[in-house]
Amino acid sequence: MKTSNRLKTMMTQFSYEHKKLDSHLVRVKKSADELSKLLDNMTPKEKKDEKK
């Protein structure tokens, strides 16, 4: 019985950690998208300044 109890505990912990990981990855992706938009908005202004 100890073995299956340990296995169940390990599986529960693994599942919990990966649910947390998914939420962290969503936050990272959102931040990366926001950074990409910010950089895209900055680029045309810099190109216009270089042409002058």
Side-chain angles (χ1 to χ4, degrees):
M1 286 304 248
K2 277 189 174 182
T3 304
S4 73
N5 195 15
R6 283 187 204 159
L7 183 60
K8 184 177 179 182
T9 303
M10 289 173 58
M11 289 176 63
T12 302
Q13 185 65 30
F14 180 83
S15 174
Y16 176 74
E17 288 173 0
H18 281 77
K19 284 181 185 178
K20 287 177 62 177
L21 179 63
D22 288 341
S23 68
H24 291 297
L25 291 176
V26 167
R27 288 184 200 154
V28 169
K29 183 178 181 209
K30 183 178 178 183
S31 296
D33 290 340
E34 291 174 1
L35 179 60
S36 176
K37 288 178 185 177
L38 177 66
L39 292 174
D40 286 342
N41 289 336
M42 290 175 63
T43 304
K45 292 178 184 176
E46 292 174 359
K47 287 183 181 178
K48 288 179 185 176
D49 291 339
E50 290 176 6
K51 290 180 183 177
K52 292 181 179 179

